[in-house]
Amino acid sequence: MSPTPDDAIAKATQAALLFLPTDHQATPDEVELAVNTALSVMTAQGLSVDRQQLTKVLEAMTSVFQESSSALHNDEGHLPWLADAKNDREWDFWDRYKRYLQIVRKLPPRVVSRLDQSTDDVLGELEDPRRLGEWHRTGLVIGQVQSGKTGDYIGLASKAADAGYRLIVVFAGIHNDLRSQTQQRIDEGLLGFDSQYQLRSDQKGANYKIGVGAMSHVKKLPAASLTNSAEKGDFDRKTASKANLPIGSFPIVLVVKKHRRIIDYLRTWVTEVHGEEDPATGRKIVRDIPLFVIDDEADNASINTSKDPDTEPSKINAAIRQLVNSFQKSSYVGYTATPFANIYIDPDADHDELGSDLFPASFIRALRAPSNYLGPERLFGLRTDDEDEDDVEPLPLVQRIRDTDTWMPDRHKPSHVPSDTLPASLRTAIRSFVLTCSARRARGQVAVHNSMLVHVTRFTAVQGHVREQVDTYVRLLGDSLRDRYGSAAAQCTEEFRQQWERDFVPSTLQFPADEAERLEWTDVAEQLLPALRKISVKAVNGTARDVLDYVENRKNGLSVIAIGGEKLSRGLTLDGLSVSYYLRFSKTYDTLLQMGRWFGYRPGYEDLCRLYTTPQLVDAYAEITSATDELRRDIEEMAALGLTPREFGLKVRTSSLGLGITAANKMRQGTRVRLSYSGEIAETTIFNLNEEVVQHNFDTLDTFARSLTALGAPTVDEDNGSVIWENVPPEEIAAGFFDTYLTDRKAHRVRPAFIAAYIRQSARYGELGNWTVRLVSKSPAENPVDIAGHNVGLVTRKTPHATTDGRYTIKRVLSPLDESTDLDEGQKARALAAVRKAAEGKTNRNGEPRDPKVPTGRPLRDQRRTDQPLLLVYPIAPPASSALGASTPLVGFAVSFPFSQYQSKTEYVVNDIWWKQDMEMDDVEDEDE
């Protein structure tokens, strides 16, 4: 049987990849050389390959780049070991997995190379499994939603097995289907056999090789698993006891659901078989077998949510800690895309029996996604404050919907029955999915998975009604296209054509031609009926019998519209997801991000993807994107400064839309690390447009400026007209400005009363003694206003949101250059040097080296003396949409605080009510699924 053109291209691509560099981005000449060499190999084998097509495939792969990861380290008690181990151990599991990624998964060379580096980085943070004595390491790896975290930790587990870890436990979510899906990935990438049919790789009479085990010319590596990929294939003590596996001679890998009883069964079994009684505690301890735990979605279920965490930890958290502490040697690594809850873990918790909590005391590492990742920034846009980074404009893939209120109200009961007629927006979304499937077929992507997500309710009964309605509409479309005798086929085809021309053609034109193939309507129309015939509609929840059997359909591809809720909200991957219809609102950053199943990789059909959601959710995701990006930048900056995880003060931008950061029960310890203004920039980004509030703050500024002048005459900046007062005492700042200034009630992070209290507290310790106040003016001034006898030009600021609810939100009030205006030349030079050092090896989103021109951020504030704070006051032109006159500006401020030597004495303790007004509790046990 002669190979197909697709087979020939696949073989040629595999050959060409061997001749491409992995340590740098391939140049056009290197791509051409690889193409020529591969074509020569193919010709020698009698295969014909299209040069242009092969070149296009390689150019697409080599254009993908991925930046290196950043990390906070704590090396106390840690012995470096990996460099020597690279030479004295065989790395067969990793080598096999690496070949699998290159040959079978066809990952770009730079991505595989970066994964090799990042897994080395994490492995090196762990302890050498051959090290004698007692040791424990606890770390956290932060990825992005649907960005390849599973592939990353399979690589890490492969290297851990090579290094000598003999018991590897992967905690995979709280649902059976996610655990099953993770086990399938482990089977393919690490074990090399189908765990449903055999227990160990050398099992007699069993030959169910898959993934890495099915490749030709690979070593047969000893490994075993006591869990399997069946829906109910979780750990079972009876199976484990009967298996009689000798733990210690080769790697045993377990994929376990986060369930207290199952984790306890696992611990009991291991300690009974291999444990020794500890004379001091009477508990059984496993001494000679090193344990490696990978906690996937580590912010879900693993967090101690107990009201009394010191004496009564929550059950799953306690079970994990008991397991880890039952081993004399253990390493624990959590993986998550939403790390807020993990960093809020109390680092000092120490239970009598359970020991310390799962705080990542050893390291926190942030992974960057490859450049071909379709993430929040590309979908919702990102406004950055970094001079070296361009703003990211959103792709034209999001459709705002406004017609679902009667069909699926925001607040509905489990007994709700949707009205008979599907909303027009959902009918449009379903047609978009049919068009996407058809277009992919027209592009030659036939035997592939196609998925559509419909997530509109958390109630399983309501999901059942939605499934019936969607299935009825899909069948109606099919019947219409098959109508040979009436006008239905022509009318239905015309609706598809109009939607294609109106939506898909313009959006595809905004993608480069080498990323999105241009199609004629006739090519797409030919595939409508074949695409429709293949689509099935399934409910995916705790009671439905439908399953997403991607593995069973991997040869021909599965096309499915998945109706679900909680089970589609975290961890579970929808292969080939192209269209999402999403209504379900959550009030916390992490839950909303995890619900974003539409993030990920869409090679060859990115331009066809669509997200249908509400304007409210678009605004929420845009805000979360900005807050998460800021958190990642903080980690990178603190890593460059050499800080440890215990020194990492979490700073997450508070929502202007009333969103919380994470569930209230996950933040019981959070206040201790959030409220010190030491080394911070406190700035207003939310303004109340009430006329009385605006006038009050303007009067406050005018009175404040006059009182400053009474203390000493100001200077005026000749370049822009800004007015500067120096050597202002702290009480004048606290009483004259912050005691009187009014903020919007949504501005949780900038509360003048807390700032004033912090100033007074610091002054008692001899800090914040000599303030510089700069009243910022814009020059030339179009509409200057008089403030304390000075003509001041109003500044303008962009807003990422429409002005609603009498509230005006901007991305930043601070102009970065303003923050360094009061520093001397030496301070500026040192700050800029620190900023540039932190930028070394970093690239912007275009892959270009970062080259900071001005000092900014924490390195700048690190140069401030403890008596050298800066208050910047910005008179801002009101938004044109407001009823305010230009003569009364909004008053914004930014305070640049130096680092305090007494920050432990100047932190605040606030109650949960202050932190979490209107937050919803994210307790999975209360979900109706």
Side-chain angles (χ1 to χ4, degrees):
M1 185 176 180
S2 59
T4 66
D6 286 346
D7 291 336
I9 279 290
K11 288 185 177 181
T13 301
Q14 179 180 332
L17 288 174
L18 299 175
F19 300 99
L20 286 173
T22 59
D23 59 341
H24 64 271
Q25 207 78 24
T27 65
D29 289 343
E30 288 171 331
V31 172
E32 184 179 5
L33 177 61
V35 168
N36 291 336
T37 308
L39 290 176
S40 299
V41 173
M42 294 299 102
T43 301
Q45 296 180 6
L47 297 177
S48 177
V49 177
D50 184 283
R51 169 186 287 273
Q52 185 176 1
Q53 186 179 0
L54 178 59
T55 302
K56 184 177 179 180
V57 169
L58 282 190
E59 286 176 343
M61 294 182 73
T62 55
S63 66
V64 177
F65 65 91
Q66 184 176 11
E67 294 184 40
S68 59
S69 58
S70 301
L72 311 175
H73 311 267
N74 181 6
D75 292 332
E76 183 180 354
H78 174 58
L79 297 180
W81 62 279
L82 186 56
D84 292 333
K86 285 287 185 180
N87 295 317
D88 63 22
R89 298 172 209 187
E90 300 294 329
W91 298 89
D92 294 331
F93 280 99
W94 164 250
D95 289 339
R96 189 172 70 167
Y97 182 59
K98 181 179 179 181
R99 286 190 60 195
Y100 174 73
L101 296 177
Q102 294 169 329
I103 297 171
V104 179
R105 299 295 300 279
K106 296 182 175 59
L107 292 189
R110 290 293 303 280
V111 172
V112 176
S113 176
R114 188 65 75 192
L115 188 146
D116 187 9
Q117 178 187 328
S118 66
T119 48
D120 266 3
D121 290 338
V122 176
L123 186 67
E125 300 273 17
L126 309 182
E127 218 56 60
D128 183 354
R130 296 182 182 178
R131 180 181 171 183
L132 301 177
E134 182 175 356
W135 46 261
H136 302 277
R137 297 285 285 175
T138 307
L140 180 69
V141 177
I142 303 171
Q144 297 196 49
V145 177
Q146 299 286 93
S147 66
K149 295 188 301 298
T150 305
D152 190 275
Y153 69 64
I154 290 175
L156 176 61
S158 299
K159 290 183 176 180
D162 287 323
Y165 282 94
R166 287 298 172 253
L167 182 60
I168 300 174
V169 177
V170 179
F171 290 125
I174 59 175
H175 296 299
N176 286 330
D177 48 5
L178 177 54
R179 192 214 65 81
S180 173
Q181 187 181 74
T182 304
Q183 178 84 54
Q184 290 173 0
R185 296 284 303 275
I186 293 287
D187 289 357
E188 293 173 350
L190 176 55
L191 296 173
F193 59 85
D194 191 332
S195 57
Q196 288 196 52
Y197 303 105
Q198 65 187 87
L199 188 68
R200 48 195 290 176
S201 56
D202 59 354
Q203 188 170 323
K204 293 182 180 180
N207 188 25
Y208 296 94
K209 297 178 181 178
I210 61 173
V212 292
M215 293 189 301
S216 59
H217 308 296
V218 295
K219 287 185 178 180
K220 295 180 180 179
L221 303 177
S225 180
L226 294 173
T227 56
N228 66 68
S229 58
E231 185 79 3
K232 296 183 179 180
D234 212 333
F235 182 80
D236 185 321
R237 282 189 68 190
K238 293 181 180 178
T239 302
S241 299
K242 292 178 182 178
N244 194 27
L245 283 177
I247 302 180
S249 56
F250 52 80
I252 294 177
V253 184
L254 309 177
V255 182
V256 178
K257 184 168 74 259
K258 295 184 194 178
H259 190 286
R260 176 180 61 86
R261 291 189 182 90
I262 293 175
I263 300 171
D264 285 344
Y265 289 157
L266 169 59
R267 174 182 52 80
T268 302
W269 169 71
V270 175
T271 54
E272 283 180 354
V273 176
H274 294 277
E276 302 175 11
E277 187 172 306
D278 183 354
T281 63
R283 294 186 296 114
K284 285 192 173 183
I285 301 293
V286 180
R287 300 192 183 280
D288 298 326
I289 300 170
L291 170 70
F292 180 37
V293 172
I294 294 174
D295 189 352
D296 192 13
E297 305 295 344
D299 64 308
N300 187 30
S302 304
I303 301 298
N304 188 359
T305 57
S306 170
K307 291 182 179 179
D308 192 2
D310 290 332
T311 60
E312 193 68 29
S314 52
K315 293 177 181 178
I316 294 177
N317 172 269
I320 294 175
R321 290 162 67 182
Q322 263 191 303
L323 173 67
V324 170
N325 289 314
S326 294
F327 286 74
Q328 189 181 42
K329 309 171 185 179
S330 68
S331 290
Y332 168 96
V333 178
Y335 275 77
T336 184
T338 47
F340 311 114
N342 301 84
I343 305 174
Y344 281 130
I345 295 171
D346 183 358
D348 299 319
D350 190 13
H351 192 273
D352 290 341
E353 293 184 11
L354 304 177
S356 58
D357 205 344
L358 301 176
F359 178 79
S362 303
F363 65 93
I364 299 173
R365 181 167 292 275
L367 303 178
R368 285 294 192 110
S371 58
N372 62 337
Y373 170 64
L374 182 60
E377 297 91 347
R378 299 180 68 204
L379 267 173
F380 301 104
L382 177 65
R383 299 291 176 261
T384 178
D385 307 311
D386 194 322
E387 287 193 346
D388 296 318
E389 297 279 4
D390 295 328
D391 290 347
V392 180
E393 296 300 325
L395 293 170
L397 306 180
V398 180
Q399 304 284 341
R400 291 163 174 79
I401 56 180
R402 298 177 172 85
D403 60 352
T404 61
D405 289 345
T406 56
W407 178 71
M408 193 67 63
D410 287 343
R411 295 184 179 276
H412 57 269
K413 296 180 178 179
S415 58
H416 174 69
V417 178
S419 56
D420 293 338
T421 304
L422 284 179
S425 58
L426 181 48
R427 298 197 300 271
T428 300
I430 294 170
R431 291 197 302 271
S432 287
F433 182 58
V434 176
L435 285 168
T436 295
C437 295
S438 304
R440 294 192 71 188
R441 293 175 68 91
R443 288 176 176 175
Q445 303 168 22
V446 178
V448 296
H449 296 312
N450 291 288
S451 299
M452 176 179 176
L453 163 68
V454 178
H455 187 163
V456 296
T457 176
R458 70 187 181 95
F459 300 117
T460 56
V462 185
Q463 292 167 20
H465 293 305
V466 175
R467 197 210 76 83
E468 292 296 327
Q469 290 183 340
V470 171
D471 186 64
T472 299
Y473 184 68
V474 170
R475 293 179 186 276
L476 175 64
L477 290 175
D479 292 342
S480 298
L481 287 178
R482 283 190 292 266
D483 181 17
R484 298 183 179 181
Y485 305 105
S487 60
Q491 183 178 344
C492 186
T493 302
E494 178 61 16
E495 288 182 357
F496 275 116
R497 186 195 66 79
Q498 290 181 12
Q499 187 168 337
W500 175 262
E501 300 288 349
R502 180 180 62 249
D503 182 14
F504 286 86
V505 172
S507 62
T508 297
L509 289 175
Q510 296 192 40
F511 287 77
D514 58 346
E515 294 181 10
E517 180 183 348
R518 278 51 165 158
L519 295 171
E520 297 296 331
W521 166 245
T522 52
D523 298 325
V524 178
E526 288 178 1
Q527 300 297 333
L528 286 174
L529 193 52
L532 252 173
R533 286 179 176 142
K534 199 173 180 180
I535 294 173
S536 59
V537 183
K538 298 188 176 186
V540 182
N541 53 49
T543 61
R545 295 182 179 179
D546 290 340
V547 293
L548 299 178
D549 45 357
Y550 293 115
V551 175
E552 289 80 356
N553 291 275
R554 59 181 174 268
K555 290 185 178 180
N556 298 317
L558 178 69
S559 291
V560 62
I561 299 178
I563 318 292
E566 174 67 21
K567 282 202 172 184
L568 298 180
S569 295
R570 182 185 277 270
L572 192 67
T573 298
L574 296 173
D575 288 353
L577 179 64
S578 55
V579 178
S580 299
Y581 190 87
Y582 180 72
L583 299 181
R584 189 172 164 197
F585 196 86
S586 175
K587 292 185 178 180
T588 59
Y589 287 4
D590 48 7
T591 303
L592 276 172
L593 270 180
Q594 290 291 350
M595 286 180 175
R597 298 293 95 194
W598 45 82
F599 304 130
Y601 303 96
R602 309 289 185 261
Y605 65 103
E606 193 174 70
D607 62 307
L608 305 175
C609 295
R610 293 293 181 272
L611 167 61
Y612 292 81
T613 192
T614 65
Q616 180 189 24
L617 279 163
V618 172
D619 287 345
Y621 275 107
E623 190 167 69
I624 294 168
T625 299
S626 178
T628 306
D629 181 74
E630 186 175 295
L631 173 63
R632 292 178 187 280
R633 289 173 181 273
D634 280 351
I635 292 175
E636 292 173 357
E637 189 173 273
M638 293 178 183
L641 295 173
L643 299 183
T644 70
R646 284 179 175 271
E647 297 169 323
F648 177 47
L650 179 65
K651 178 175 68 67
V652 182
R653 186 182 302 177
T654 303
S655 168
S656 66
L657 304 175
L659 299 173
I661 294 168
T662 187
N665 59 352
K666 295 180 182 179
M667 287 183 59
R668 301 192 196 280
Q669 310 302 321
T671 53
R672 194 175 63 82
V673 295
R674 284 199 63 192
L675 286 179
S676 173
Y677 288 101
S678 172
E680 295 281 349
I681 185 80
E683 58 180 315
T684 46
T685 58
I686 306 169
F687 298 88
N688 190 321
L689 296 181
N690 178 279
E691 188 173 353
E692 292 182 5
V693 173
V694 172
Q695 185 64 52
H696 171 89
N697 284 340
F698 181 74
D699 292 342
T700 294
L701 172 59
D702 187 79
T703 302
F704 177 57
R706 294 182 186 279
S707 67
L708 294 181
T709 300
L711 295 174
T715 58
V716 178
D717 190 322
E718 295 179 357
D719 292 334
N720 51 38
S722 296
V723 186
I724 303 114
W725 293 269
E726 297 179 328
N727 300 318
V728 179
E731 185 56 29
E732 188 66 29
I733 301 294
F737 188 74
F738 288 109
D739 280 354
T740 311
Y741 184 93
L742 298 177
T743 57
D744 187 272
R745 64 182 181 85
K746 293 282 188 178
H748 300 303
R749 274 292 286 147
V750 183
R751 295 206 169 187
F754 283 90
I755 295 176
Y758 177 82
I759 293 170
R760 292 182 171 112
Q761 181 82 346
S762 298
R764 285 198 286 271
Y765 289 97
E767 297 185 340
L768 307 186
N770 295 291
W771 285 75
T772 297
V773 179
R774 185 181 185 92
L775 176 59
V776 180
S777 176
K778 179 182 178 182
S779 179
E782 296 178 359
N783 295 300
V785 295
D786 181 275
I787 301 176
H790 299 277
N791 277 333
V792 178
L794 302 186
V795 301
T796 56
R797 292 291 183 263
K798 294 181 180 179
T799 175
H801 306 291
T803 302
T804 57
D805 301 324
R807 184 173 292 113
Y808 181 53
T809 303
I810 60 177
K811 61 177 185 178
R812 288 204 77 177
V813 72
L814 175 74
S815 292
L817 191 61
D818 293 341
E819 194 179 2
S820 61
T821 52
D822 66 318
L823 301 184
D824 61 41
E825 294 303 317
Q827 289 174 311
K828 290 180 183 179
R830 290 189 296 273
L832 182 57
V835 170
R836 286 179 171 170
K837 182 178 180 181
E840 288 178 0
K842 304 293 182 184
T843 58
N844 60 24
R845 290 182 179 83
N846 296 322
E848 301 165 341
R850 296 182 63 187
D851 184 23
K853 297 295 192 298
V854 297
T856 58
R858 293 175 67 92
L860 181 151
R861 295 188 284 279
D862 191 49
Q863 292 300 317
R864 290 193 176 281
R865 300 184 303 274
T866 56
D867 67 340
Q868 195 183 14
L870 171 67
L871 170 60
L872 298 160
V873 184
Y874 292 86
I876 304 170
S881 58
S882 72
L884 299 171
S887 61
T888 307
L890 307 178
V891 176
F893 66 83
V895 190
S896 181
F897 285 104
F899 282 88
S900 169
Q901 295 180 2
Y902 303 93
Q903 52 181 309
S904 62
K905 297 180 180 179
T906 53
E907 291 178 343
Y908 298 106
V909 178
V910 299
N911 61 22
D912 280 352
I913 296 173
W914 186 85
W915 275 110
K916 295 167 282 289
Q917 292 172 338
D918 298 325
M919 274 194 212
E920 69 177 12
M921 297 291 284
D922 186 22
D923 188 348
V924 297
E925 295 181 359
D926 293 337
E927 292 288 339
D928 184 21
E929 298 180 338

